[in-house]
Amino acid sequence: MQLENSMRNFDLPASDHDFDKASRLKDLPITSTHWGAYRVETGNGRIKALHGFEEDPDASPIGRGIIDAIDGPTRIRRPSVRKSWLENGPGTYPERRGAEAFVELTWQEAESLVARELTRVRSEYGNRGIFAGSYGWASAGRFHHAQSQIHRFLNCFGGYTHSKNTYSFAAAEVAVPHVIGAFRSFLPESTSWPAIATGAELVVAFGGIPLKNGQINSGGVGAHLQRQGLKQALDAGVEFVNVGPLRSDLDESAGSSWLPIRPCTDTALMLGIMHVLISEDLCDRDFLERFTVGFETFRAYVEGKVDGKAKTADWAAGICGIDADRIENLARRMAARKTMISTSWSLTRQAYGEQPFWAGIALASALGEIGLPGRGIGFGYSATNSIGGHYSRIPGASLPQGANGVEDFIPVARISDMLLNAGEDFDYNGATYKYPDIRLIYWAGGNPFHHHQDLNRMLSAWRKPETIIVHDWCWNPAAKHADIVLPCTASLERDDIAISPRDPYAVAMRKAVEPVGESRNDFDILAGIARCLGIEEEFTGGRSSAEWIRWIYEETARRSGSQGAEMPGYDEFQRAGWFKLDPPAEPVSFLSDFRRDPDSRALGTPSGKIEIYSETVAKFGYADCPGHPTWLPPREWLGAGNKDYPLHLITNQPAAKLHSQLDQGSESRKSKLNGREPISMHPADAEDRGLQDGETVKVFNSRGACVASVRITDGIRRGVVQMATGAWFDPESPGRIGSICKHGNPNVLTPDLGTSRLAQGPGANSCLVDVEGIGESTPGITAHDPPELIESDCRRSRPESPSSG
């Protein structure tokens, strides 16, 4: 373990070169975020600069985006209630959400109002009428984690309808456990970059290894490792193949080869490779016999004995849009060399997103290299910073959430379905459930107008609840479309600790500035409401924020000690500011224990082996997710021959922010063209439409339209366009369904369909659009303008201080 309060020499980001001496940084408070740790420089009560943490060799610039945003015009400064909701009561004029003024209240008024509304909904509809998905990455702090806070509060109140899985990889979360026994718990056991550097010769990256995504990590980042890990492998002579429509999904300096297949055809390509392995007797029969079940059933499908279509390289070439000889050559190279197959998380976010990961596992099994050093299968390299990390992990304790008295749930991406189809059945992972009748949404952390698909459909669904309550620190689209908005602090305005099982660093997050306006911590907000409900003691547990932070740290230290890793005492940790656990002695290779001893280290599948064919899944009887990897043509893809919408839209993660966080900040604004999200397009597609680089365009399909700015590049496959997600939703006519988004939020275009009946995950990347010039009628951008704010009579007569309560 490293415990330091001293500085090492390190390369500062470019904007930090004018800072006096690196040695001065040790005196600055430290903080941690989902995109990195920083030393925080303040002056006159404001943030002046964020400096990359001295341990971080590749500090992310994303953090600087908060400097001008934390007290900027988007900041929510007081409790606020939508005007017509306040005047006319719950459920009135929901079509005005997003278009109406807010009335600013005192905290006393707001607490009483929320408590009364929660009590009313529980009395009339029961706790199952309350939905608190609260999906988001609000803070890296272990205590001030908005989702944990709201879930604990509502459990004290009797419970709530919850959501399962994630937008990141829901299809894999449900499907992969049927194949290898687990998924999420396996991610920390991913084969480490040092193991790849020393054990692999070839990495075939389906969906690439996009370093921009590796800036982030849920729970905090001490040091960014993805660029360093990739370079280590390249320096060792490992060859990389980037499989996907975007050349930028693997760092071009890597010298990798690019296989620009059509989007959503990775499964077909894997099946074509599999056919080559089978027909040329290149499969590892011993591995398949000892470590897997169901290969012969799958083989019959690949050879065409099931449906009369052999999944040859020629067959796959027609689907993927590349030459058959490239598929055959890749298959032979994979069989001849020590190969790692990497599958991007983005592959799950398409129609039938369960299939690519399952097919990748089957392909790695046929090669017989699962469990060998640096080889086999990996999920999501550079999807987050932690994947492939060579470090020990801290078993972090969390705020206890208690028991939820409500059993109802939805798959995370089925919010609109739930709101529009109350009482109707839905399938999920082999069972049938009913959508609950939601009357109140309580959202703390996150922005559903970023995460969710088909925003016009969601706007319609968003009108169904009688009340929507949001905690946030800025007037993002979720806050603007709420009824009651409670202003919470930003992470730099409070103490906390960053401790994550996904990172070896623990950071004492120091309060750097006072809260803006009357904002409060989520804990204090909920404690005030709990006081009105008579459950304050139950919610707070008799502890203050500072006492909970100490408890979480000391409980983490106890767990860590039981695993043989000693942590410093709490006071020592606070003085030092951070510490790091020493890395493990040997690089990690995924499923190496299973390979060494498949009997005592059996997998959590019914057979204890890798299930290339799953009898369990087959018995579910889902036509959209059979019992083995299968090519299922999406409704929307380039092979559909859609003349109205001939371009395939890829919506990937942004480089200059995390999801939609800090979209209003300086770093995000610098990434835009003409103030809008860029759309990348092949030169031939631009020429066909008479478009010039930098031109403002309309991107559209039958679901909606948004405004973007063209970026012409030959680093994208022809027929494909790409827009990053995260631009704040900015409809030209707020509140009107079908209004064009002026700012460039691509989720007005993406389909809101589940990946399959198995997982019901988001299928955003199966999306067809067209693009045209917008001419001189370009609408102005108002995404970052706050709503009209009206001061209540009570506020005018009795203003509160920021520290009250």
Side-chain angles (χ1 to χ4, degrees):
M1 179 188 70
Q2 298 177 23
L3 176 64
E4 301 185 17
N5 196 23
S6 59
M7 303 298 300
R8 303 185 318 185
N9 292 327
F10 67 106
D11 293 327
L12 290 166
S15 64
D16 289 334
H17 287 322
D18 60 350
F19 192 58
D20 295 340
K21 301 268 187 190
S23 60
R24 281 185 54 202
L25 291 175
K26 67 178 181 179
D27 298 322
L28 297 179
I30 190 170
T31 195
S32 182
T33 71
H34 296 304
W35 45 85
Y38 302 90
R39 296 286 180 175
V40 186
E41 185 180 4
T42 60
N44 297 321
R46 301 186 65 186
I47 307 297
K48 291 180 61 179
L50 296 183
H51 302 276
F53 179 41
E54 57 269 21
E55 289 282 301
D56 193 346
D58 191 22
S60 171
I62 289 176
R64 297 195 191 100
I66 200 171
I67 295 173
D68 62 335
I70 193 168
D71 60 354
T74 63
R75 188 64 192 261
I76 305 171
R77 298 169 185 269
R78 301 172 189 87
S80 303
V81 181
R82 188 168 63 87
K83 185 173 183 293
S84 62
W85 190 99
L86 183 65
E87 293 173 348
N88 300 287
T92 54
Y93 304 109
E95 69 277 5
R96 296 183 184 177
R97 288 178 181 140
E100 194 171 15
F102 283 79
V103 179
E104 297 181 324
L105 304 182
T106 65
W107 270 111
Q108 184 178 3
E109 290 176 298
E111 291 167 350
S112 177
L113 193 67
V114 171
R116 288 199 307 269
E117 182 60 3
L118 285 169
T119 301
R120 181 191 72 82
V121 171
R122 182 175 66 175
S123 176
E124 294 181 12
Y125 306 104
N127 284 83
R128 68 192 302 267
I130 301 170
F131 177 68
S134 296
Y135 183 90
W137 297 43
S139 171
R142 199 72 180 171
F143 174 67
H144 292 295
H145 178 246
Q147 190 182 66
S148 297
Q149 293 282 347
I150 187 60
H151 290 174
R152 176 181 173 88
F153 168 76
L154 288 174
N155 284 339
C156 293
F157 187 65
Y160 60 97
T161 294
H162 64 286
S163 62
K164 289 188 177 183
N165 307 134
T166 72
Y167 281 90
S168 295
F169 43 56
E173 283 183 277
V174 182
V176 172
H178 290 293
V179 185
I180 57 174
F183 179 69
R184 287 190 70 104
S185 62
F186 276 157
L187 292 179
E189 300 177 26
S190 300
T191 298
S192 64
W193 278 110
I196 293 172
T198 57
E201 296 173 334
L202 174 66
V203 174
V204 181
F206 291 90
I209 301 175
L211 292 179
K212 65 179 177 57
N213 294 6
Q215 295 179 91
I216 65 173
N217 208 59
S218 178
V221 178
H224 291 87
L225 60 87
Q226 293 296 325
R227 191 181 309 276
Q228 182 179 339
L230 178 61
K231 184 178 185 301
Q232 182 182 9
L234 289 167
D235 290 346
V238 179
E239 180 187 356
F240 286 78
V241 178
N242 175 20
V243 181
L246 304 178
R247 184 164 59 200
S248 60
D249 274 344
L250 190 57
D251 191 346
E252 294 183 42
S253 66
S256 59
S257 58
W258 181 30
L259 206 61
I261 65 172
R262 288 171 168 169
C264 303
T265 64
D266 301 83
T267 298
L269 176 58
M270 293 178 190
L271 293 173
I273 294 171
M274 180 68 75
H275 192 278
V276 175
L277 299 181
I278 291 171
S279 63
E280 298 186 9
D281 196 23
L282 298 175
C283 295
D284 188 325
R285 295 183 181 181
D286 291 339
F287 184 90
L288 291 169
E289 177 66 27
R290 187 177 183 198
F291 297 98
T292 76
V293 297
F295 180 74
E296 291 305 316
T297 302
F298 176 56
R299 175 176 180 159
Y301 167 74
V302 173
E303 292 180 330
K305 296 176 182 178
V306 175
D307 57 5
K309 297 179 182 178
K311 312 308 180 291
T312 64
D314 284 327
W315 170 88
I319 294 171
C320 301
I322 58 174
D323 294 336
D325 61 351
R326 297 192 72 180
I327 298 174
E328 292 170 347
N329 290 337
L330 179 60
R332 293 167 189 147
R333 286 164 60 205
M334 292 172 73
R337 307 188 71 185
K338 299 174 181 177
T339 299
M340 161 64 75
I341 295 172
S342 170
T343 51
S344 167
W345 289 358
S346 63
L347 302 185
T348 70
R349 299 192 295 272
Q350 59 178 285
Y352 318 120
E354 296 83 1
Q355 301 306 315
F357 275 32
W358 199 343
I361 295 167
L363 184 55
S365 298
L367 293 171
E369 302 212 294
I370 290 177
L372 293 178
R375 289 166 264 172
I377 184 78
F379 310 116
Y381 284 95
S382 205
T384 65
N385 183 62
S386 62
I387 304 298
H390 177 61
Y391 45 65
S392 301
R393 291 165 175 85
I394 303 170
S398 302
L399 176 70
Q401 296 181 23
N404 189 345
V406 175
E407 295 182 354
D408 293 79
F409 74 94
I410 61 165
V412 68
R414 302 274 58 83
I415 295 174
S416 294
D417 282 359
M418 171 186 69
L419 297 175
L420 293 170
N421 303 308
E424 294 187 14
D425 291 343
F426 69 91
D427 293 314
Y428 174 78
N429 202 18
T432 301
Y433 305 88
K434 286 188 182 297
Y435 286 121
D437 184 9
I438 298 301
R439 300 303 178 115
L440 183 148
I441 293 176
Y442 205 138
W443 206 279
N447 174 13
F449 287 83
H450 158 74
H451 287 291
H452 203 65
Q453 287 71 57
D454 195 348
L455 292 183
N456 284 305
R457 182 171 186 258
M458 196 181 89
L459 273 176
S460 179
W462 214 244
R463 294 178 177 179
K464 298 298 182 179
E466 296 166 355
T467 300
I468 298 172
I469 304 169
V470 165
H471 293 195
D472 218 310
W473 66 275
C474 53
W475 284 109
N476 62 26
K480 289 180 180 179
H481 286 83
D483 298 311
I484 303 172
V485 179
L486 304 178
C488 63
T489 52
S491 60
L492 289 171
E493 297 168 335
R494 60 197 182 218
D495 290 331
D496 210 335
I497 49 175
I499 295 177
S500 170
R502 304 171 187 88
D503 196 79
Y505 288 85
V507 174
M509 300 168 60
R510 303 284 169 75
K511 178 180 177 180
V513 291
E514 291 300 317
V516 170
E518 296 173 15
S519 55
R520 296 179 176 178
N521 301 332
D522 292 294
F523 179 76
D524 294 332
I525 293 172
L526 294 169
I529 300 168
R531 188 180 310 121
C532 296
L533 293 168
I535 57 171
E536 181 182 14
E537 181 68 20
E538 185 178 357
F539 171 70
T540 66
R543 292 188 175 101
S544 65
S545 294
E547 289 167 337
W548 269 116
I549 292 169
R550 177 183 282 270
W551 180 89
I552 288 172
Y553 182 88
E554 291 177 346
E555 176 63 16
T556 299
R558 185 190 65 79
R559 296 180 186 181
S560 186
S562 68
Q563 297 181 12
E566 295 299 320
M567 291 170 53
Y570 182 72
D571 293 333
E572 184 182 2
F573 165 61
Q574 288 290 336
R575 285 192 297 272
W578 64 275
F579 73 84
K580 177 189 177 184
L581 292 184
D582 291 331
E586 299 294 332
V588 175
S589 291
F590 180 49
L591 294 183
S592 58
D593 289 342
F594 168 66
R595 182 166 188 131
R596 280 192 294 268
D597 191 347
D599 296 321
S600 65
R601 296 297 186 121
L603 302 178
T605 57
S607 65
K609 298 182 178 183
I610 298 169
E611 301 210 349
I612 296 174
Y613 170 80
S614 168
E615 186 174 344
T616 300
V617 174
K619 286 181 177 179
F620 294 159
Y622 297 151
D624 56 4
C625 191
H628 57 69
T630 304
W631 163 248
L632 300 166
R635 180 184 304 177
E636 296 187 36
W637 70 298
L638 288 179
N642 190 317
K643 295 181 181 179
D644 293 328
Y645 309 114
L647 299 174
H648 194 125
L649 174 65
I650 297 296
T651 50
N652 56 5
Q653 294 299 313
K657 53 182 172 284
L658 166 58
H659 302 318
S660 68
Q661 291 187 45
L662 298 180
D663 182 59
Q664 78 277 41
S666 57
E667 290 300 313
S668 176
R669 294 199 308 270
K670 285 191 298 187
S671 73
K672 300 178 188 291
L673 276 176
N674 306 320
R676 294 177 169 87
E677 201 62 41
I679 182 167
S680 295
M681 176 180 286
H682 190 274
D685 292 321
E687 184 178 1
D688 288 347
R689 291 159 177 79
L691 301 175
Q692 303 297 316
D693 192 59
E695 184 173 347
T696 303
V697 296
K698 180 173 78 170
V699 189
F700 62 96
N701 60 19
S702 61
R703 288 177 289 271
C706 67
V707 182
S709 297
V710 170
R711 178 175 286 156
I712 297 175
T713 174
D714 62 2
I716 190 168
R717 180 188 169 92
R718 186 170 184 179
V720 179
V721 289
Q722 172 269 324
M723 286 183 72
T725 57
W728 283 6
F729 181 53
D730 189 23
E732 186 172 22
S733 299
R736 184 171 70 82
I737 296 170
S739 181
I740 188 170
C741 175
K742 303 177 293 182
H743 191 212
N745 186 321
N747 272 332
V748 300
L749 306 162
T750 51
D752 186 16
L753 296 172
T755 51
S756 78
R757 292 163 66 193
L758 183 78
Q760 297 281 7
N765 279 325
S766 295
C767 179
L768 294 178
V769 302
D770 204 354
V771 179
E772 65 183 18
I774 203 168
E776 300 299 323
S777 58
T778 306
I781 302 168
T782 55
H784 303 142
D785 294 349
E788 179 187 355
L789 299 171
I790 303 167
E791 191 173 33
S792 69
D793 292 339
C794 188
R795 282 205 60 85
R796 282 193 291 267
S797 62
R798 187 164 51 86
E800 291 193 21
S801 67
S803 61
S804 64

